[in-house]
Amino acid sequence: MVQFVSIEEAVALVKKGARLGTSGFVGPSAPIKLIKALADAGTNELTLIQAVTSFPGATHDVDWLAENNQIAKGILAHTGTSKQISGQFLAGDLEVEYTPMGTIIECLHAAGAGLGGVLTPTGVGTTQEENHKKVEINGKEYLFYEPLPLDVAFVKASKADKFGNLVCQGTEKFLTKEMALAADIVIAEVSEIVETGDIDPDDVFVPGVLVDYVVQGMTPEENTKYYTELWGNAKMLREG
């Protein structure tokens, strides 16, 4: 049964050295209250699994974790929007295992589905071959990637009901279901909590059976105000 807890109670479930996944595609779809609280908690030696890091032009999102040196390793597809992570990687202070975005998605799915791994032609003939076994099947070459199980997943949703069923909109859907399947503990940060029955079954993106904890995030109005100000500040920084 899903539990409704405070942000502080939720981040206490993330232990030192945990494999942490965060869903969303930058911006408003990031579970930023959970990430900020985890940064404040100082839990470190984390392995971060994410597709696209942080928010361009401002210290935000997983940049808070990097700024505190809480990330020991990243399994990531793109870090160009994160000044902190990109800088630490280029300086040799942070290990990053760059992995194609679609491959990360499939490796998370493999972990959740109990599969032994992923075979993909993506990356054949590139530096991806240095760390992944190459196999040939019916005359075609593939790289083998192991599944990506998570200790904890932070996911973002627009709504949750009292059973933990989640409604996700837009880029909130990115990696959310895959991470919910792959993680031992799933914590959802939601904009609105409604009564059971208030969500049409056809609108459920992640069923409550996959969700362990729910926390109250920013309301839609707070979310709009926050990101409007953030975009404005980032624009001013870019323009000097």
Side-chain angles (χ1 to χ4, degrees):
M1 179 67 71
V2 68
Q3 297 183 49
F4 293 79
V5 296
S6 68
I7 296 283
E8 292 74 21
E9 289 172 320
V11 299
L13 296 165
V14 183
K15 305 303 181 184
K16 180 178 180 179
R19 290 168 63 91
L20 172 70
T22 65
S23 71
F25 198 89
V26 195
S29 58
I32 59 167
K33 290 191 76 170
L34 283 168
I35 295 170
K36 183 62 169 67
L38 184 61
D40 291 341
T43 309
N44 60 7
E45 297 185 18
L46 302 171
T47 295
L48 176 69
I49 293 91
Q50 194 183 51
V52 180
T53 52
S54 202
F55 188 94
T59 299
H60 177 73
D61 195 353
V62 294
D63 264 2
W64 291 320
L65 303 177
E67 191 173 46
N68 285 353
N69 297 310
Q70 291 170 257
I71 304 171
K73 178 181 178 180
I75 301 175
L76 312 163
H78 182 269
T79 60
T81 52
S82 171
K83 181 178 179 181
Q84 291 290 336
I85 291 178
S86 296
Q88 289 180 21
F89 169 72
L90 294 171
D93 296 329
L94 175 63
E95 178 186 358
V96 176
E97 184 179 320
Y98 284 102
T99 304
M101 191 179 299
T103 304
I104 289 179
I105 294 170
E106 291 304 321
C107 289
L108 288 165
H109 172 257
L115 304 179
V118 173
L119 287 177
T120 174
T122 304
V124 171
T126 73
T127 56
Q128 289 291 308
E129 291 188 2
E130 296 173 6
N131 299 311
H132 300 280
K133 181 180 179 181
K134 185 162 63 175
V135 300
E136 183 176 318
I137 301 175
N138 296 328
K140 187 170 183 177
E141 293 181 328
Y142 300 85
L143 297 183
F144 174 77
Y145 288 78
E146 294 184 356
L148 281 178
L150 305 175
D151 295 311
V152 182
F154 287 170
V155 300
K156 174 76 182 299
S158 295
K159 290 183 183 179
D161 66 16
K162 296 298 179 65
F163 277 178
N165 296 305
L166 304 182
V167 175
C168 297
Q169 298 177 336
T171 53
E172 288 176 348
K173 296 179 178 180
F174 187 69
L175 286 182
T176 299
K177 191 174 293 182
E178 291 83 1
M179 288 192 171
L181 284 165
D184 291 336
I185 299 173
V186 177
I187 306 171
E189 177 182 320
V190 304
S191 299
E192 185 180 2
I193 298 171
V194 299
E195 294 297 326
T196 302
D198 286 351
I199 296 175
D200 189 307
D202 288 340
D203 293 334
V204 174
F205 187 69
V206 177
V209 69
L210 296 178
V211 180
D212 300 295
Y213 300 91
V214 171
V215 300
Q216 176 67 60
M218 291 187 290
T219 66
E221 295 75 21
E222 291 169 337
N223 196 73
T224 298
K225 181 176 184 294
Y226 178 87
Y227 279 99
T228 299
E229 293 176 355
L230 186 67
W231 273 113
N233 292 338
K235 185 174 185 291
M236 285 190 291
L237 285 171
R238 288 195 299 270
E239 294 175 351

